[in-house]
Structure formats: C-alpha cells, structure tokens
Amino acid sequence: MAKEEKSIPDEPATKVNRRQFLKLGASTGIAMAAATAALEGGALVDPKQAYAGVIKTHDEIPYEIPADHKRYNQRNHMFGRARSGDPEVGKMAEHFLSHRFNGYDGVESPGYTVLDGAAARASFALDWYVNGENGSGNSNTGLYAWRPKLIDFLFRWGDPDRNIHSPGVKSPEEGTMAVKRMAKYFGAHSVGIAPYDERWIYTETFNGEAQKFTPPDFGFEPKHAIVMTIPMEYKGMSCAPTFLGSAEVGRAYNMCGVVAFSLSIFIKDLGYHAVAIGSDTSISIPQAIQAGLGELGRMGLLVTPDLGPSVRICKVFTDMPLNHDKPISFGVTEFCNSCKKCAELCPSQAISYDAQTTVGPSKISSASGVKKWYINPEKCWSCWGDDNVRSCCGACIAACPYTKPEGWHHTLVRSITGTPGLSPIMKNMDDLFGYGKLYNEQAATDWWKE
Amino acid sequence: MALMTFILGLLVAGFGWVVNILRKNTKYSITWLGWAGIVLSFMVLLFAIAWSWSCLLENSPRAAGVGLLMFGGITVIIGAITRIVIIRGIPTSKKNHTDGVSQSA
C-alpha cells in the first residue's frame, strides 16, 4: 500500500502567515533599536551637521579694510543727520513720522489695518519710552545707560568697585562659557566675542542723557565686545514691509535692551566693568562679523547661518577676561554675487546690483573705504514714509533666500547654497517655491491667528 | 513632525516587505543596477513626501506643491528608467550565438 504523502499546499507568496509576520516584526524592531542606539538619538543624516561642515573660520575679517580706515561719526548716518538738523533728511524724517504705522489713512489691506498699526506702535513702545528710541541710535539712556543707577541695598549690584564677588571667574575659558550661557539664557539666539576694535566705534554718538553728540565715555577701557543676535521671527518678517514686519523689528529692539542690560549686570556682579550697547556707539555689523556671527550680505546687513538677515544685534563692552571667536564664512558672498533678489525687490531700489566697491553712493552717510556692497541710505530712508511702505520696511530681509523658518529642508538647502555654480539655480528655485514675497497678504492675515 | 517620521518609517518597512515579495515572484532577473534604481527611486519618493509635509507644516503650500511635483517627477523618471533596465536588461557586448548552431560534428 503506497504511503500517502502529506503535501503542504502551495501558499501564494503574497500571503503572510503568522510565523513570517512575527519574524518580520521582530527583525524590524531589533533593527530599529540597534539603529537608534548607534545613532545615539541623532539623525542618520543630520542637516545641521552637514551645514556646520560648510562653515569656514578665518583668522582675520575676510574683507578688504584699508590700513588708513577712518572711524565713522554717527552724525553722518541718516538718523544722526536728522538729529543734527540736516534739512534734506529732516524732510524725510517728517514724511516718515507723519505716516509711520498709520492705519487710519484708510488703506485696510492685510498688514496695513488699524490693528496692525497698533501692533507695530506697541511693539516699539519699550524702545521708545524706556531707551529713548535706541533703534535710531540714541545711546546712554534707559537700559543702555553707561552708568545705570541701581538700587543700592541688593548686594551692591552694578558697581564693580564695591563688588564683594570680585574677581568672579578663574580663567578666560570660564568667563567665555559663562557669558555665552547667560546671553542665551536671557534670550540671545547666538553670541560671539570679538576684541574691542576702535575702528568700529563712532567718533561721536548721540548721548541721550546729554542730548547732544559726544565721544563715547564709559568710565573704563573695554577689552572685548560681546556681540549677540536677537531673532526676528519668520512669521513676522514674512509680512514685511507692512506694519506687522515692523512689529517684529520693534519687538526685537525691545529684547536687545533686555538681553544687553541683563548680561551687563551679570558681568558687573562678577566684579568687572560692562556697558550695554544697542544700535548706538558702534557699527554693529563688522563687530558681529569679527565675533563669528555671520557674513555681510548685499543689502548691507549681517547674514547669519541659521536665521539669515532676520536678526537684530546688541552688544556688551567689557574688561572681563574672555576668549575671542573667529570670523566665519559659509558662502554668502558667493551667493550674493549672483542672487540680487533684495536689490530687485527693494521698494526704493537702494541696493546695489553692481560688484563690490570701496566707494559708497552717499557723500555724507556712506562709510566708504571698505570693499563691500554699498546701499544708498538716502534712497532707502526716503521711501519709508511712502504710501506703499509707511513702516520700517525690512523688504530686503523678507526677500533674502537666507530668511527661512527653522526646518531640516532649509538647513539642507543652505548647506549647498554656497556651492560654486549652484547659486543662480538656488535663487531661481527660491522664486519657484514661492519664498521671499513682499506684501504677503496671506502671511499678514495668518499672523493674527496665533 | 513626529507623525511624519512615523509614517516614513512605516513606508520604509513596507518597502522592505514589497522588495521581499518582488524578489521571490518576479520573472525577471534583477541585476544590481535594477535594485539600485528601485532603492534610489524609493528614497527620492521619501524625500518628496518629507519635503512637502515639512512645507505644509510651516504653512507654505506652494513650496509643498512644487516640491511634490519636482521630486515626485524625479521619482517617476528614475522608476521608469529602472523598469526599462529590468525588463530589457543591461546591453552586453558579446551575445551567445548557440541558437541554431548545428550540433553535428
């Protein structure tokens, strides 16, 4: 009798039995656990690490600065000229002040409503009423007072000559770690330390306490400039040049005062001298470049690796022992050579389309000498009061392809932006993907939803 | 973002399953080039989904749409080329002419 062979019916390969399913699940789980342990919580491809590999450091500022570079006098910049009684600039100031944030003019498009105007005015309030409008260069007032008068009974704060904690740090390394940590704790996005370089200090600054232009006098000799960037949110700056873009500017100016003042008190508590500086007393951008915070963009602003030009800058000058950071580059100059998007979209066409040069277009206000892109400051400010702006503008910041919200895909794109030959393509891609638009009504409408 | 990562993980797991089935059931002999094309096409598809999802999260629908179109299009092109490579094979310089050759001495 023939044995009946037990035959196993053929199973279609598309059907999975219990054994195969358990095998697949167990092997996937083990693989995931092993991968997670190996990566130690990081990503397989970390865009931030890829981007960091693109950033180069330099021993000196990577710009051509003449040996006989002349220091700038704050009387010559647009706000300084307005304060000095320059008639041409005075008219621009009147034009701007009479229209600034005025939603009552009857134009009710998103970003230009009465609500939007009130938001902008309120955002600037702290800077105006406490710091005397430091945003326009007023020094030695409010949180930026060179010798603030503080309450005496609490641990003798603010007076290093009587400070019981002096000296507060054991080494420049400890000091550097401490000020960077505290700067970020108070709200700075990034912080760098540069030597106190007289080349960037104004020969005269508008002294808010004295109500006249005077040479800076802090009562001590600073050795270092701690330079900090304060972020301006993408949500706000994407509304530029409407009132809501300016609201973001005002909010950042307020934060500048808080961060710089708080850090200066921290340093004084440790027994050293320190003074908080905002948009006054020195040219912020070369100090920020020297401190390793970014590069100079075509529009004349600091372009940072993470936030592009969407930052404000504040400083603390001190004699505390600190180590210095080095200037960096990450492809901005190469990109700006071909991009020119800020120049195309500038409402007043004040940004140069040309190559870098050493002579600026304004005989009075341009700080000529350094080889860079120069904007036309008269053209820039003259449009701030125009009907299509009526604000602090910021169009160049909104237009810049480096201004992006935080995201892995933007970090990845930035890491290849400086690649030779890719810059024109990246600019066109930025346009194609719909970034960098001005008068973004959807952004202005969505601003109120959060 | 966490949901996006989870969904992408599921897609990767599903891809592994599909590859396993494909390996056993295809009548074609898939060479290393074919497998490379399949994997590359899938990775670009993952990138397209991740890009678009991230753009939508930051409220940039146009960027999401253009990204899906661009990277999705690249996925389709790579997939189509891979399919041709698999079906037709890699052209070889020598052909075997044993067909029709007489076996008589």
Side-chain angles (χ1 to χ4, degrees):
Chain A
M1 195 194 292
K3 263 190 182 174
E4 280 187 10
E5 288 184 9
K6 196 176 178 184
S7 65
I8 300 168
D10 286 329
E11 288 186 5
T14 49
K15 273 204 172 174
V16 176
N17 63 27
R18 274 200 299 271
R19 196 169 175 185
Q20 285 172 330
F21 179 78
L22 286 170
K23 267 193 197 171
L24 181 66
S27 56
T28 305
I30 290 166
M32 279 171 58
T36 306
L39 293 169
E40 292 173 352
L44 186 60
V45 176
D46 187 352
K48 283 192 176 169
Q49 283 183 350
Y51 193 29
V54 169
I55 298 175
K56 295 180 201 153
T57 55
H58 304 269
D59 290 330
E60 299 291 333
I61 296 184
Y63 297 93
E64 291 177 27
I65 302 166
D68 61 346
H69 174 78
K70 291 193 176 68
R71 287 167 61 187
Y72 193 73
N73 190 322
Q74 197 190 343
R75 284 181 194 268
N76 295 335
H77 83 30
M78 298 304 288
F79 298 123
R81 287 168 67 182
R83 284 199 164 99
S84 301
D86 182 320
E88 182 197 347
V89 177
K91 282 184 196 162
M92 291 179 204
E94 203 183 302
H95 181 55
F96 173 51
L97 291 173
S98 63
H99 290 84
R100 170 167 70 170
F101 312 144
N102 197 351
Y104 296 94
D105 281 349
V107 177
E108 285 284 308
S109 56
Y112 284 103
T113 65
V114 168
L115 272 184
D116 299 329
R121 270 188 293 276
S123 298
F124 268 96
L126 191 80
D127 189 58
W128 291 346
Y129 294 108
V130 173
N131 300 329
E133 212 171 343
N134 178 268
S136 64
N138 188 42
S139 69
N140 194 20
T141 306
L143 296 174
Y144 294 109
W146 296 337
R147 297 172 185 80
K149 295 171 181 58
L150 298 175
I151 301 168
D152 188 65
F153 77 99
L154 287 175
F155 308 117
R156 300 171 187 167
W157 290 345
D159 188 342
D161 295 324
R162 300 189 298 152
N163 196 294
I164 57 173
H165 300 142
S166 176
V169 294
K170 299 179 189 65
S171 65
E173 287 72 31
E174 188 184 38
T176 302
M177 177 281 301
V179 298
K180 287 190 173 182
R181 172 67 182 106
M182 290 309 293
K184 290 188 177 175
Y185 176 73
F186 290 133
H189 174 74
S190 59
V191 55
I193 302 170
Y196 180 76
D197 194 331
E198 289 270 347
R199 289 179 295 181
W200 318 128
I201 310 300
Y202 293 145
T203 52
E204 288 183 308
T205 185
F206 188 78
N207 187 324
E209 193 183 42
Q211 283 295 298
K212 60 181 182 179
F213 287 96
T214 63
D217 174 22
F218 314 121
F220 71 99
E221 290 296 323
K223 292 180 186 162
H224 316 285
I226 304 167
V227 189
M228 296 162 282
T229 59
I230 305 297
M232 295 194 289
E233 283 183 4
Y234 180 78
K235 196 177 166 81
M237 288 317 297
S238 58
C239 298
T242 73
F243 298 162
L244 294 175
S246 293
E248 194 57 37
V249 171
R251 193 182 68 84
Y253 273 134
N254 295 343
M255 283 306 299
C256 281
V258 169
V259 172
F261 175 74
S262 304
L263 186 64
S264 70
I265 296 300
F266 171 73
I267 294 171
K268 287 176 182 181
D269 193 86
L270 293 172
Y272 305 100
H273 296 91
V275 62
I277 307 288
S279 299
D280 59 289
T281 306
S282 68
I283 313 177
S284 300
I285 291 164
Q287 288 188 305
I289 292 171
Q290 219 169 5
L293 297 181
E295 284 191 72
L296 180 66
R298 178 178 285 274
M299 81 290 274
L301 299 174
L302 177 77
V303 178
T304 61
D306 295 345
L307 301 176
S310 193
V311 294
R312 292 279 135 191
I313 303 171
C314 59
K315 299 92 70 173
V316 169
F317 297 161
T318 181
D319 55 10
M320 176 180 187
L322 296 169
N323 291 330
H324 297 149
D325 292 295
K326 291 188 173 183
I328 61 171
S329 61
F330 50 100
V332 170
T333 303
E334 293 75 13
F335 186 75
C336 285
N337 270 332
S338 58
C339 176
K340 302 180 189 175
K341 193 165 176 178
C342 55
E344 288 165 8
L345 294 180
C346 173
S348 61
Q349 291 294 288
I351 301 174
S352 168
Y353 287 86
D354 302 327
Q356 292 183 335
T357 181
T358 55
V359 179
S362 170
K363 286 181 186 160
I364 303 172
S365 295
S366 292
S368 295
V370 178
K371 188 176 179 189
K372 60 174 187 167
W373 291 290
Y374 286 86
I375 67 149
N376 187 320
E378 282 102 354
K379 274 190 182 177
C380 176
W381 204 30
S382 65
C383 89
W384 286 19
D386 289 350
D387 286 342
N388 63 333
V389 180
R390 284 187 285 149
S391 70
C392 303
C393 197
C396 48
I397 299 174
C400 182
Y402 278 96
T403 301
K404 289 290 184 296
E406 194 173 334
W408 67 271
H409 50 314
H410 297 306
T411 308
L412 191 66
V413 169
R414 283 200 198 101
S415 67
I416 61 171
T417 296
T419 306
L422 275 189
S423 299
I425 301 169
M426 302 309 289
K427 187 257 180 179
N428 291 334
M429 287 290 112
D430 198 65
D431 290 337
L432 184 67
F433 278 80
Y435 290 113
K437 287 185 176 168
L438 302 187
Y439 305 101
N440 190 332
E441 293 194 352
Q442 190 60 51
T445 308
D446 290 344
W447 192 92
W448 287 99
K449 287 181 182 170
E450 190 170 336
Chain B
M1 195 72 184
L3 180 63
M4 181 189 86
T5 313
F6 181 72
I7 300 281
L8 292 177
L10 280 181
L11 286 174
V12 170
F15 176 70
W17 191 2
V18 166
V19 160
N20 193 38
I21 296 167
L22 192 69
R23 202 163 52 83
K24 289 176 185 168
N25 285 283
T26 181
K27 64 181 178 181
Y28 300 107
S29 170
I30 302 178
T31 62
W32 68 269
L33 191 62
W35 284 117
I38 291 169
V39 170
L40 183 63
S41 180
F42 178 71
M43 285 172 68
V44 176
L45 176 67
L46 281 186
F47 185 86
I49 294 169
W51 178 285
S52 301
W53 197 313
S54 300
C55 288
L56 286 173
L57 284 177
E58 72 182 28
N59 208 19
S60 302
R62 177 170 162 170
V66 173
L68 205 55
L69 193 67
M70 187 176 293
F71 301 118
I74 294 170
T75 302
V76 168
I77 290 168
I78 295 173
I81 294 170
T82 304
R83 185 172 175 273
I84 292 168
V85 165
I86 290 171
I87 291 172
R88 293 189 190 171
I90 310 169
T92 51
S93 55
K94 287 183 183 178
K95 285 197 174 178
N96 190 350
H97 292 288
T98 53
D99 297 328
V101 171
S102 171
Q103 290 192 0
S104 59

